[in-house]
Amino acid sequence: MIETEDLTRRYGDTVVVDGVSLSLPERAFVSVIGANGAGKSSFLSMVSRLLPMSAGRAFVDGLDVSATPGDVLARRLGILRQEHGVTARVTIRDLVAFGRYPHSKGRLTAADRAHIADALAFLDLEPLADRFLDEVSGGQRQRAYIAMVLAQDTDCILLDEPLNNLDMRHAASMMGLLRRAVDERGRTIVAVLHDINFASCYSDRIVAMRDGKVVAMGPPEEIVTPQVMRAVYGIDVEVVTVKGYRTVFFYR
Ligand SMILES: Nc1ncnc2c1ncn2[C@@H]1O[C@H](COP(=O)(O)OP(=O)(O)OP(=O)(O)O)[C@@H](O)[C@H]1O
Ligand SMILES: [Mg+2]
């Protein structure tokens, strides 16, 4: 369970996350949408303790994030950052093994190896597992990073733009896998998405941010509307319901 109270981040006089108070549902897929610079990554980074908060509080499963040791939090919550700088000569299997670090502290047990194998299989990475990260495509590398976060085996998973570098087929397959992680494994996934139509089809809740504030939160049918899209992105779109899902169209 992720909750925030008046969560705020400032850089000098500029407020980039502005008093966000939220209670996110458990065992749900929550999308975070908003324009570039809206504060989405800053919000996720504070919840995961990667970025110090300027004010307010965040709680993960009732633990106060600023007062919880990193390794304790890392067994509850995993995060895929928007820019993940691992480019060294590591194989995909070794990268996924890093995800076990909060549990294994570097000495992999049989249980750790089972989690690694499971994450590689879940993301269909077995054929690539022994390739180095710089020997695979950008989309394959993106899947490897997500496998690393899944191998961490946490209830809460924060993903900052998990669809980066994925083609339409792999993006759809990734959303399907993440949905299964929620439905079959009871995970809580919070994902920053720029593709509103994927957010619309796969989310239980959508959090819409603008200028550091949450301007709307609700199920897709409440958020994927011309009014909210205008409020969030400042553009006019048409919304059509296709097979029960709200779908956004933008015309030149
Ligand atoms: N170290 C920093 N110093 C000053 N301002 C910063 C710093 N890091 C981020 N910001 C500013 O904070 C604001 C929010 O940034 P953030 O990365 O959270 O946005 P975002 O919603 O994730 O955007 P994007 O969709 O482009 O990833 C931006 O205006 C950004 O310029
Ligand atoms: Mg971002």
Side-chain angles (χ1 to χ4, degrees):
M1 169 82 142
I2 297 172
E3 289 176 292
T4 66
E5 288 174 9
D6 212 16
L7 194 61
T8 299
R9 175 71 202 188
R10 290 183 212 100
Y11 291 101
D13 293 337
T14 311
V15 183
V16 301
V17 175
D18 193 358
V20 171
S21 298
L22 277 182
S23 183
L24 298 180
E26 279 184 284
R27 295 170 174 258
F29 190 103
V30 180
S31 294
V32 181
I33 63 167
N36 295 138
K40 305 176 300 294
S41 297
S42 306
F43 175 75
L44 255 55
S45 299
M46 286 192 283
V47 170
S48 57
R49 212 174 172 274
L50 294 173
L51 179 71
M53 36 194 93
S54 305
R57 299 207 292 174
F59 300 91
V60 173
D61 291 342
L63 298 171
D64 185 336
V65 167
S66 19
T68 304
D71 60 331
V72 174
L73 193 64
R75 291 195 288 270
R76 307 268 183 155
L77 177 137
I79 181 166
L80 173 78
R81 306 173 74 155
Q82 188 173 348
E83 323 281 345
H84 27 64
V86 188
T87 48
R89 289 281 287 177
V90 228
T91 64
I92 287 182
R93 191 187 308 281
D94 289 341
L95 179 80
V96 176
F98 286 151
R100 295 303 300 164
Y101 193 81
H103 304 272
S104 69
K105 304 285 185 233
R107 292 174 62 90
L108 295 176
T109 64
D112 293 319
R113 290 185 198 286
H115 280 288
I116 295 164
D118 178 59
L120 287 168
F122 199 66
L123 283 146
D124 210 13
L125 285 167
E126 283 152 325
L128 299 173
D130 296 311
R131 294 248 208 115
F132 288 98
L133 280 180
D134 58 5
E135 292 173 348
V136 296
S137 76
Q140 292 165 339
R141 200 152 45 235
Q142 181 69 358
R143 268 155 54 210
Y145 287 114
I146 288 171
M148 173 181 75
V149 179
L150 289 184
Q152 200 175 325
D153 193 32
T154 55
D155 285 342
C156 298
I157 300 169
L158 310 185
L159 301 170
D160 200 344
E161 302 197 20
L163 303 185
N164 274 356
N165 293 315
L166 300 185
D167 66 51
M168 202 180 351
R169 182 169 82 88
H170 282 101
S173 137
M174 175 63 67
M175 293 301 286
L177 287 177
L178 298 176
R179 192 65 249 179
R180 277 178 51 212
V182 172
D183 295 337
E184 297 171 13
R185 301 180 176 202
R187 305 299 162 89
T188 301
I189 296 185
V190 182
V192 174
L193 297 177
H194 284 302
D195 189 315
I196 302 304
N197 292 337
F198 276 130
S200 179
C201 292
Y202 288 92
S203 308
D204 298 300
R205 288 281 187 288
I206 301 178
V207 176
M209 292 187 71
R210 178 172 186 164
D211 296 336
K213 294 192 174 72
V214 171
V215 292
M217 171 168 158
E221 54 275 22
E222 284 176 20
I223 304 299
V224 185
T225 65
Q227 295 75 17
V228 176
M229 293 301 109
R230 168 146 273 288
V232 174
Y233 295 105
I235 58 165
D236 290 314
V237 299
E238 273 192 50
V239 175
V240 177
T241 303
V242 181
K243 296 195 175 184
Y245 296 107
R246 299 288 167 106
T247 308
V248 166
F249 288 92
F250 176 76
Y251 300 99
R252 61 178 277 197

